[in-house]
Amino acid sequence: MLSPNVLSNAMNTARQVFLAVGLFSCVVNILMLTGPLFMLQIYDRVLTSRSVPTRLALTLLVVGLYLFMGIVDLVRYRVLTRIGHRFDEEVGREAFLEQISAPVKHGPLAAKTEPVRDVDQLRTFFSSPGVTAVFDMPWLPIYIAIVYFIHPWLGYLAIAGALVLFLIAFVTDRVARPAMKTSGELSGARSAIVNAGRRNSEVLHGMGMLQNLSSVWDGANERFLAANAKAADVVGLSSVL
């Protein structure tokens, strides 16, 4: 198990950078209003006055704002990626030493501890859409309020849509969680077979047991693929809805 002090220091460093990510998220979410405001100006000003210069100026302004939003979003993504790499640099070495020493420290339980894989998953999570969703979520009430001020019925419709999406996400999580847990366990079992075969490669070749191990691998791999496909089907169905 990794030292709590190392993890705490790594997370404190990441927390400081998250403040900058939060600022970038504010800019991105404010610029997300560019499209609706542009359409409102088109309907209120351009269509009534039929002014070509106004339409051209608004179009150029919107294009510039979208380009700026894309740049800020790209910077936000790269900062999150660097946070993951920095986290890996600070705890990766200790995770490696812990995994190497696990058989001595934990005995038979060592097969269930894979600190290096855990660090890899955390590094991947930092640059995943899940982190940006956490920063974007507080803006949902603001968007709904803006829609409500445009017209109350549109606000009610936006609230209903948000509730439906939340319900779909909740049901998807409940349904997909067992399949994803099973997929993770089977992935670990599959990796254990590979590692055991690699450690005992000479014995397997010498005793002619390679085909038997391959059959064990085929069974584990088929179970993993079935569980993984089940989880992917559930998530894919929710995205279609």
Side-chain angles (χ1 to χ4, degrees):
M1 186 175 180
L2 296 179
S3 171
N5 291 332
V6 175
L7 289 175
S8 177
N9 293 335
M11 293 306 298
N12 287 333
T13 303
R15 191 178 297 115
Q16 296 174 1
V17 185
F18 277 147
L19 296 176
V21 175
L23 179 61
F24 290 139
S25 299
C26 289
V27 175
V28 170
N29 281 279
I30 291 174
L31 292 177
M32 289 291 290
L33 298 173
T34 299
L37 292 177
F38 172 73
M39 296 306 299
L40 287 175
Q41 294 301 315
I42 290 294
Y43 287 126
D44 291 342
R45 299 178 183 273
V46 176
L47 292 182
T48 56
S49 64
R50 298 183 179 180
S51 174
V52 176
T54 302
R55 181 176 61 182
L56 180 61
L58 288 174
T59 302
L60 292 176
L61 177 61
V62 167
V63 170
L65 289 176
Y66 273 131
L67 288 175
F68 181 66
M69 182 179 68
I71 293 173
V72 174
D73 199 20
L74 177 62
V75 171
R76 179 175 65 165
Y77 174 77
R78 291 193 172 185
V79 169
L80 287 172
T81 303
R82 300 304 184 277
I83 292 176
H85 289 176
R86 180 67 178 273
F87 179 83
D88 196 327
E89 290 174 356
E90 294 191 8
V91 303
R93 180 181 180 86
E94 183 168 346
F96 170 76
L97 295 175
E98 178 65 23
Q99 185 157 340
I100 295 298
S101 305
V104 178
K105 295 181 178 179
H106 308 293
L109 298 177
K112 297 183 178 180
T113 60
E114 296 188 18
V116 174
R117 187 184 65 177
D118 295 339
V119 171
D120 289 340
Q121 291 178 346
L122 284 173
R123 186 190 66 247
T124 304
F125 171 74
F126 281 131
S127 56
S128 68
V131 177
T132 56
V134 172
F135 286 99
D136 295 338
M137 192 178 300
W139 287 85
L140 178 61
I142 299 176
Y143 289 144
I144 293 178
I146 293 174
V147 174
Y148 181 84
F149 285 131
I150 294 176
H151 196 283
W153 282 109
L154 292 177
Y156 297 144
L157 181 62
I159 293 174
L163 291 176
V164 170
L165 291 176
F166 175 79
L167 180 62
I168 292 174
F170 179 78
V171 173
T172 301
D173 178 70
R174 290 295 181 180
V175 175
R177 185 178 298 179
M180 297 188 69
K181 180 181 179 181
T182 303
S183 177
E185 293 175 351
L186 292 175
S187 176
R190 190 178 62 162
S191 299
I193 294 173
V194 175
N195 293 331
R198 180 176 297 177
R199 289 195 303 268
N200 301 281
S201 177
E202 295 181 0
V203 176
L204 291 171
H205 282 83
M207 299 183 65
M209 299 178 60
L210 189 59
Q211 293 300 323
N212 293 334
L213 184 63
S214 298
S215 299
V216 175
W217 156 262
D218 289 337
N221 192 47
E222 288 178 2
R223 291 190 293 272
F224 165 74
L225 292 176
N228 190 57
K230 183 178 179 181
D233 290 342
V234 173
V235 176
L237 179 61
S238 68
S239 63
V240 172
L241 297 175

